[in-house]
Coordinates of all heavy atoms in Angstrom, one line a residue:
R158 N 63.9 107.3 112.8 CA 63.0 106.4 112.1 C 63.5 106.0 110.8 O 63.3 104.9 110.3 CB 61.6 107.0 112.0 CG 60.7 107.1 113.2 CD 60.0 105.8 113.4 NE 59.0 105.6 112.5 CZ 58.3 104.4 112.4 NH1 58.5 103.5 113.2 NH2 57.3 104.3 111.4
L159 N 64.2 106.9 110.1 CA 64.8 106.6 108.9 C 65.8 105.4 108.9 O 66.0 104.7 107.9 CB 65.5 107.9 108.3 CG 64.7 109.0 107.8 CD1 65.4 110.2 107.4 CD2 63.7 108.5 106.6
G160 N 66.5 105.3 110.0 CA 67.3 104.2 110.2 C 66.7 102.9 110.3 O 67.4 101.8 110.2
T161 N 65.4 102.8 110.4 CA 64.7 101.5 110.6 C 64.1 101.1 109.3 O 63.5 100.0 109.2 CB 63.6 101.6 111.7 OG1 62.5 102.5 111.1 CG2 64.1 102.2 112.9
L162 N 64.1 101.9 108.2 CA 63.4 101.6 107.0 C 63.8 100.3 106.3 O 63.0 99.8 105.5 CB 63.5 102.8 106.0 CG 62.8 104.1 106.5 CD1 63.0 105.1 105.4 CD2 61.4 103.9 106.8
G163 N 65.0 99.8 106.6 CA 65.4 98.6 106.0 C 64.8 97.3 106.6 O 64.9 96.2 106.2
K164 N 64.1 97.5 107.7 CA 63.5 96.5 108.4 C 62.1 96.2 108.0 O 61.4 97.1 107.4 CB 63.5 96.8 109.9 CG 64.8 97.1 110.6 CD 65.5 95.7 110.9 CE 66.7 95.8 111.7 NZ 67.4 94.6 111.9
P165 N 61.5 95.0 108.2 CA 60.1 94.8 108.0 C 59.3 95.8 108.7 O 59.7 96.2 109.8 CB 59.9 93.3 108.4 CG 61.2 92.7 108.4 CD 62.2 93.8 108.7
R166 N 58.1 96.2 108.2 CA 57.3 97.2 108.8 C 57.0 96.9 110.3 O 57.0 97.9 111.1 CB 56.0 97.3 108.0 CG 55.1 98.5 108.5 CD 53.9 98.7 107.5 NE 54.3 99.0 106.2 CZ 54.6 100.3 105.8 NH1 54.5 101.3 106.6 NH2 54.9 100.4 104.5
S167 N 56.8 95.7 110.6 CA 56.5 95.3 112.0 C 57.7 95.5 113.0 O 57.5 95.5 114.2 CB 56.0 93.9 112.1 OG 57.0 93.0 111.6
E168 N 58.9 95.7 112.4 CA 60.1 95.8 113.3 C 60.7 97.2 113.2 O 61.8 97.4 113.7 CB 61.1 94.8 112.8 CG 60.7 93.4 112.9 CD 61.7 92.4 112.3 OE1 62.9 92.8 112.3 OE2 61.4 91.2 112.1
R169 N 60.0 98.1 112.7 CA 60.5 99.5 112.5 C 60.2 100.3 113.8 O 59.5 101.3 113.9 CB 59.9 100.2 111.3 CG 60.3 99.6 110.0 CD 59.6 100.2 108.8 NE 59.9 99.5 107.6 CZ 59.4 99.8 106.4 NH1 58.5 100.8 106.3 NH2 59.6 99.1 105.3
K170 N 60.9 99.8 114.9 CA 60.8 100.5 116.1 C 62.2 100.9 116.6 O 63.2 100.3 116.3 CB 60.2 99.6 117.2 CG 58.8 99.1 116.9 CD 58.3 98.2 117.9 CE 56.9 97.7 117.6 NZ 56.3 96.7 118.6
I171 N 62.3 102.1 117.3 CA 63.6 102.6 117.7 C 63.9 101.9 119.1 O 63.1 102.0 120.0 CB 63.6 104.1 117.9 CG1 63.2 104.7 116.5 CG2 64.8 104.6 118.4 CD1 63.0 106.2 116.6
P172 N 64.9 101.1 119.1 CA 65.3 100.5 120.4 C 65.5 101.4 121.5 O 66.0 102.5 121.4 CB 66.6 99.8 120.1 CG 66.6 99.7 118.6 CD 65.9 100.9 118.1
Q173 N 64.9 101.1 122.7 CA 64.9 102.0 123.8 C 66.3 102.3 124.3 O 66.6 103.4 124.8 CB 64.1 101.5 125.0 CG 64.0 102.3 126.2 CD 63.3 103.7 125.9 OE1 62.4 103.7 125.1 NE2 63.8 104.8 126.5
D174 N 67.2 101.3 124.1 CA 68.6 101.5 124.6 C 69.3 102.6 123.8 O 70.3 103.2 124.4 CB 69.4 100.3 124.7 CG 69.5 99.6 123.3 OD1 69.1 100.1 122.3 OD2 70.1 98.5 123.3
V175 N 68.9 103.0 122.6 CA 69.5 104.0 121.9 C 69.3 105.3 122.6 O 70.2 106.2 122.7 CB 68.9 104.2 120.4 CG1 69.3 105.4 119.7 CG2 69.4 102.9 119.6
F176 N 68.1 105.5 123.2 CA 67.9 106.7 124.0 C 68.6 106.7 125.3 O 69.0 107.8 125.9 CB 66.3 106.9 124.2 CG 65.6 107.3 122.9 CD1 64.5 106.5 122.6 CD2 65.9 108.4 122.2 CE1 63.8 106.8 121.4 CE2 65.2 108.7 121.1 CZ 64.2 107.9 120.7
E177 N 68.9 105.5 125.8 CA 69.6 105.4 127.1 C 71.1 105.8 126.8 O 71.7 106.4 127.7 CB 69.5 104.0 127.6 CG 68.1 103.6 128.1 CD 67.9 102.2 128.4 OE1 68.9 101.4 128.3 OE2 66.8 101.8 128.8
Y178 N 71.6 105.4 125.7 CA 73.0 105.8 125.4 C 73.1 107.3 125.0 O 74.1 107.9 125.4 CB 73.5 105.0 124.1 CG 73.7 103.5 124.4 CD1 73.1 102.6 123.5 CD2 74.4 103.0 125.5 CE1 73.2 101.2 123.8 CE2 74.5 101.7 125.8 CZ 74.0 100.8 124.9 OH 74.1 99.4 125.1
F179 N 72.0 107.8 124.4 CA 72.0 109.2 124.0 C 70.8 109.9 124.5 O 69.8 110.2 123.8 CB 72.0 109.3 122.4 CG 73.2 108.7 121.8 CD1 73.1 107.5 121.2 CD2 74.4 109.4 121.7 CE1 74.2 106.8 120.6 CE2 75.5 108.8 121.0 CZ 75.4 107.5 120.5
P180 N 70.7 110.2 125.8 CA 69.5 110.7 126.5 C 69.1 112.1 125.9 O 67.9 112.4 125.9 CB 69.9 110.9 127.9 CG 71.4 110.7 128.0 CD 71.7 109.9 126.8
V181 N 70.0 112.9 125.4 CA 69.7 114.2 124.8 C 68.8 114.0 123.7 O 67.9 114.9 123.3 CB 71.0 115.0 124.4 CG1 71.7 114.3 123.3 CG2 70.6 116.4 124.0
L182 N 68.8 112.9 122.9 CA 68.0 112.7 121.7 C 66.6 112.4 122.2 O 65.6 112.8 121.5 CB 68.5 111.5 120.9 CG 70.0 111.7 120.4 CD1 70.3 110.5 119.5 CD2 70.1 113.0 119.6
Y183 N 66.4 111.8 123.3 CA 65.0 111.5 123.8 C 64.4 112.8 124.3 O 63.3 113.2 124.0 CB 65.0 110.5 124.9 CG 63.6 110.2 125.4 CD1 62.8 109.4 124.6 CD2 63.1 110.7 126.5 CE1 61.5 109.1 125.0 CE2 61.9 110.5 127.0 CZ 61.0 109.6 126.2 OH 59.7 109.4 126.6
E184 N 65.2 113.6 125.0 CA 64.8 114.9 125.6 C 64.4 115.9 124.5 O 63.5 116.6 124.7 CB 65.9 115.5 126.5 CG 66.2 114.7 127.7 CD 67.6 115.1 128.3 OE1 68.1 116.1 127.8 OE2 68.0 114.4 129.3
R185 N 65.0 115.8 123.4 CA 64.8 116.7 122.3 C 64.3 116.0 121.0 O 64.5 116.5 119.9 CB 66.1 117.5 122.0 CG 66.6 118.2 123.3 CD 67.9 118.8 123.1 NE 68.0 119.9 122.1 CZ 69.1 120.5 121.8 NH1 70.3 120.2 122.4 NH2 69.0 121.5 120.9
R186 N 63.5 114.9 121.2 CA 63.1 114.1 120.1 C 62.2 114.8 119.1 O 62.1 114.4 117.9 CB 62.4 112.8 120.6 CG 61.2 113.0 121.5 CD 60.8 111.8 122.2 NE 59.6 111.9 123.0 CZ 59.6 112.4 124.2 NH1 60.8 112.9 124.7 NH2 58.5 112.5 124.9
N187 N 61.5 115.8 119.6 CA 60.5 116.5 118.7 C 61.1 117.8 118.2 O 60.4 118.6 117.6 CB 59.2 116.8 119.4 CG 58.5 115.5 119.8 OD1 58.3 114.7 118.9 ND2 58.0 115.3 120.9
Q188 N 62.4 118.0 118.3 CA 63.1 119.2 117.9 C 63.7 119.0 116.5 O 64.1 117.9 116.2 CB 64.2 119.6 118.9 CG 64.8 120.9 118.6 CD 65.7 121.4 119.8 OE1 65.5 121.1 120.9 NE2 66.8 122.0 119.4
R189 N 63.7 120.0 115.7 CA 64.4 119.9 114.3 C 65.9 119.6 114.5 O 66.6 120.2 115.3 CB 64.2 121.2 113.6 CG 62.9 121.3 112.8 CD 63.0 122.4 111.7 NE 63.7 123.6 112.1 CZ 64.9 123.9 111.7 NH1 65.5 123.2 110.9 NH2 65.5 125.0 112.1
A190 N 66.3 118.6 113.8 CA 67.8 118.2 113.9 C 68.7 119.3 113.5 O 69.8 119.4 114.0 CB 68.0 116.9 113.1
G191 N 68.3 120.2 112.6 CA 69.1 121.2 112.1 C 69.4 122.3 113.2 O 70.4 123.0 113.0
S192 N 68.7 122.3 114.3 CA 68.9 123.2 115.4 C 70.0 122.7 116.3 O 70.4 123.4 117.3 CB 67.7 123.5 116.1 OG 67.2 122.4 116.8
F193 N 70.4 121.5 116.1 CA 71.4 120.9 117.0 C 72.8 121.4 116.7 O 73.1 121.8 115.7 CB 71.4 119.4 116.8 CG 70.4 118.6 117.7 CD1 69.3 119.2 118.1 CD2 70.7 117.3 118.0 CE1 68.4 118.5 118.9 CE2 69.8 116.6 118.7 CZ 68.6 117.2 119.2
S194 N 73.7 121.4 117.7 CA 75.1 121.6 117.6 C 75.7 120.5 116.8 O 75.1 119.5 116.5 CB 75.8 121.8 118.9 OG 75.8 120.5 119.5
G195 N 77.0 120.8 116.3 CA 77.7 119.8 115.5 C 77.8 118.5 116.3 O 77.6 117.3 115.7
G196 N 78.2 118.5 117.6 CA 78.3 117.3 118.4 C 77.0 116.6 118.6 O 77.0 115.4 118.6
E197 N 75.9 117.3 118.8 CA 74.6 116.7 118.9 C 74.2 116.0 117.6 O 73.6 114.9 117.7 CB 73.5 117.7 119.4 CG 73.8 118.2 120.8 CD 73.0 119.4 121.2 OE1 72.7 120.2 120.3 OE2 72.9 119.7 122.4

Side-chain angles (χ1 to χ4, degrees):
R158 284 276 292 173
L159 289 174
T161 71
L162 293 183
K164 297 285 188 180
R166 188 174 296 274
S167 61
E168 298 177 19
R169 292 178 188 175
K170 297 178 181 178
I171 299 171
Q173 184 59 38
D174 60 4
V175 169
F176 291 124
E177 293 171 1
Y178 294 129
F179 301 99
V181 67
L182 301 183
Y183 183 77
E184 295 165 6
R185 302 170 67 181
R186 60 192 179 279
N187 292 315
Q188 187 170 327
R189 276 196 322 106
S192 66
F193 273 26
S194 69
E197 291 165 339

